[in-house]
């Protein structure tokens, strides 16, 4: 079964928190698929290029040449074109292919009641399906603390 981590944003926005999470996962050797709404891909592509002037996160988006060689791929569908072992879901998006990944990270905004309710529903569903589920809450400094 897949290990699923819920990341509860409290002190930062997704565009502030996602680059740090991606950087850590990339440093740990993961190939990553980030599922975003189609209209957000260009924004996050730009964000990953510019979030930290002295660093680089090798990434691309669907439609780019050679996605199979791209360590971090931004997509709006479930096509795992870079053979990722880590799936990151944002904006309450779902995936029919959770079981294809070693790890899945659900990132949700704790300041949005709809996001919180959706995350609770998914938590219950994933547990019923037998996945290993953990919950990480963002600290005021932007770090993460395991809560469950």
């Amino acid at each position: 079964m897949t290990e699923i981590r819920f990341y509860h944003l409290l002190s930062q926005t997704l565009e502030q928190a996602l680059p740090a999470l991606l950087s850590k996962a990339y440093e740990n050797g993961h190939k990553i698929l980030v599922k975003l709404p189609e209209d957000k891909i260009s924004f996050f592509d730009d964000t990953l290029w510019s979030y930290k002037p002295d660093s680089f996160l090798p990434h691309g988006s669907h439609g780019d040449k050679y996605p199979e060689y791209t360590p971090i791929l931004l997509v709006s569908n479930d096509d795992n074109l870079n053979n990722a072992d880590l799936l990151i879901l944002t904006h309450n998006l779902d995936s029919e292919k959770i079981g294809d990944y070693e790890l899945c990270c659900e990132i949700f905004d704790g300041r949005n009641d709809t996001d919180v309710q959706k995350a609770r529903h998914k938590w219950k569903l994933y547990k019923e399906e037998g996945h290993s589920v953990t919950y990480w809450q963002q600290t005021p400094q932007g770090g993460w603390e395991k809560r469950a």
Side-chain angles (χ1 to χ4, degrees):
M1 301 304 316
T2 300
E3 177 187 351
I4 299 175
R5 298 178 187 167
F6 283 81
Y7 286 92
H8 186 166
L9 295 170
L10 290 173
S11 60
Q12 293 180 325
T13 63
L14 178 61
E15 47 274 1
Q16 293 170 316
L18 184 60
L21 288 170
L22 289 172
S23 182
K24 179 91 167 165
Y26 177 67
E27 288 170 8
N28 287 331
H30 288 285
K31 285 190 86 175
I32 307 153
L33 193 72
V34 182
K35 190 170 181 182
L36 298 156
E38 180 68 36
D39 65 341
K40 302 286 186 191
I41 290 177
S42 178
F43 172 80
F44 279 93
D45 182 34
D46 291 344
T47 298
L48 294 181
W49 281 112
S50 61
Y51 90 101
K52 209 178 207 185
D54 61 342
S55 70
F56 171 70
L57 281 174
H59 72 281
S61 59
H62 62 123
D64 288 353
K65 287 186 179 181
Y66 312 112
E68 63 274 17
Y69 300 113
T70 306
I72 301 168
L73 193 62
L74 310 176
V75 300
S76 62
N77 57 37
D78 279 338
D79 296 338
N80 188 358
L81 300 175
N82 66 339
N83 298 308
D85 64 314
L86 167 56
L87 172 64
I88 295 180
L89 296 173
T90 68
H91 298 86
N92 289 321
L93 296 176
D94 295 314
S95 174
E96 297 294 321
K97 298 183 178 183
I98 296 283
D100 293 351
Y101 296 89
E102 174 185 320
L103 175 62
C104 174
C105 299
E106 290 264 1
I107 304 173
F108 68 99
D109 187 344
R111 297 160 295 206
N112 181 304
D113 289 340
T114 302
D115 283 7
V116 172
Q117 291 305 316
K118 177 87 174 186
R120 287 179 179 153
H121 173 75
K122 286 179 154 187
W123 173 280
K124 183 179 177 188
L125 181 67
Y126 291 146
K127 292 219 29 118
E128 288 172 358
E129 292 174 353
H131 297 287
S132 170
V133 183
T134 57
Y135 167 74
W136 298 79
Q137 188 175 68
Q138 194 172 45
T139 66
Q141 298 77 28
W144 298 98
E145 186 174 280
K146 186 176 180 181
R147 294 290 187 104

